[in-house]
Amino acid sequence: MNLSDSTFLLFLAAIVPAYALVTRGRARVPVLFVLGVSLLFYATWHPAWLLPLAATATTDYWVARARGRTDGPRRRRLLLAVSLTVDLALL
């Protein structure tokens, strides 16, 4: 599915109202909905790239959580380096 494809417009037309319905629920539900829809979108384009995408997203999520709990600038820089290394290694 391409962004300039008419299939994407149908996809978007279905997702936007569904998102409006989902946002009425708990706070975590919209995040999971957007994550699922994003994975579905990328799977229609090239399914083999879902694993690297999930790996970088998971790494960045946990690094961001660890950076939020850390006060030391040295440890924060180390965590940033870990995140960047994983992201760039998958290129």
Side-chain angles (χ1 to χ4, degrees):
M1 179 179 345
N2 244 335
L3 293 177
S4 61
D5 193 10
S6 62
T7 309
F8 175 73
L9 292 176
L10 293 173
F11 179 76
L12 191 62
I15 296 307
V16 170
Y19 180 76
L21 292 173
V22 169
T23 55
R24 295 180 184 163
R26 296 180 304 189
R28 182 169 277 189
V29 174
V31 173
L32 294 175
F33 179 78
V34 169
L35 177 64
V37 168
S38 298
L39 291 175
L40 177 66
F41 173 75
Y42 286 111
T44 61
W45 189 46
H46 203 290
W49 291 353
L50 285 179
L51 187 59
L53 178 64
T56 59
T58 302
T59 301
D60 292 341
Y61 173 79
W62 288 109
V63 166
R65 284 181 57 102
R67 286 191 75 199
R69 292 188 308 260
T70 303
D71 291 331
R74 188 172 187 178
R75 181 159 166 82
R76 289 174 62 88
R77 265 189 245 116
L78 176 65
L79 288 166
L80 178 62
V82 167
S83 177
L84 289 172
T85 301
V86 170
D87 291 345
L88 294 175
L90 287 172
L91 287 177

